Amino acid sequence: MIRKHIIVHGRVQGVGFRYIASSIAAGCHVTGWVRNQYDGTVEIEVQGADHRVALFLQEIRQGNRFARVDKLDVCDIETVNVEKEKDFRIKY
């Protein structure tokens, strides 16, 4: 089990990117959260099995026809107790 902190740079606000991230997370069976930052980036924390988090990162990098991901800043952080975090949510 690993947890990553991610800052997503690019055209990622106002294009539904948080909902894209949430959908990808559900498909990858990972937990965590996503939220917009005031500087135009998107912040994500994601937790799960190594291969599931790797798949999540791979799919996030692709963006979609509306969102464009230019760069991901990714670092490892402490995991969260799985009893406290059971899903992936959008923070407002």
Side-chain angles (χ1 to χ4, degrees), residues 43-84:
E43 180 181 21
I44 302 172
E45 284 192 13
V46 62
Q47 179 170 302
D50 294 9
H51 69 283
R52 294 188 184 279
V53 172
L55 179 60
F56 175 83
L57 288 169
Q58 178 184 351
E59 292 193 26
I60 283 293
R61 279 186 179 95
Q62 295 175 10
N64 69 7
R65 65 184 199 166
F66 303 109
R68 184 191 73 248
V69 175
D70 294 335
K71 180 175 105 170
L72 294 179
D73 296 330
V74 182
C75 64
D76 296 324
I77 58 175
E78 292 266 334
T79 58
V80 171
N81 184 330
V82 294
E83 294 300 317
K84 293 182 179 180

